[in-house]
Amino acid sequence: MSTTQSDRLRELLEPLVAAQGLDLEEIEVAKAGRRRMLRIVVDAEEGVELDACAEVSRAISDKLDESDAMGDDEYVLEVSSPGADRPLTERRHYVRATGRLAKLTLNDGAELIARILVVDEDGLDLEVPGVKGRKPTARRVEFADIAKARVEVEFNRKDKNEKEEEA
């Protein structure tokens, strides 16, 4: 039974990242000229600040120096948080996106843009924005029916607190 380098790295680094209160989302090893690039994406319930990325980067670097997981060749380590446009692939991603607008492509090819209101074990309760003055509508989508999803970036969304202050 063979394991890939990414699998071995995940096994080595996941406990270390978890000890920092973060989730290890992604590991990618890629060629960058003569060197290799090791990209690690971490996340947390409340997001990841730059200081947390730097701290976990130092811990990962120390751990990799102790092991032979990257071999003897040079590599560059890059630790970051997921971008705003990262795909929603795990239940925890949807939980973190609660209250946000998301674009979902369903298994039947239909596309839906809606706000994530509630996430449970089986799927999502959504609010589909009304068009041309119509009221928003509620919709339920099961995880099994979602082919892909990602958060839609909103530049002029008002927070709930701002709406309450205006009233």
Side-chain angles (χ1 to χ4, degrees), residues 80-97:
S80 65
S81 61
D85 64 344
R86 89 107 180 256
L88 304 174
T89 57
E90 303 283 337
R91 180 184 175 279
R92 70 177 179 266
H93 299 161
Y94 291 95
V95 170
R96 290 176 186 156

Side-chain angles (χ1 to χ4, degrees), residues 114-134:
R115 191 162 311 281
I116 300 171
L117 299 178
V118 176
V119 180
D120 60 32
E121 296 303 315
D122 301 316
L124 313 169
D125 289 337
L126 304 169
E127 178 184 75
V128 181
V131 180
K132 296 184 181 178
R134 293 188 180 142

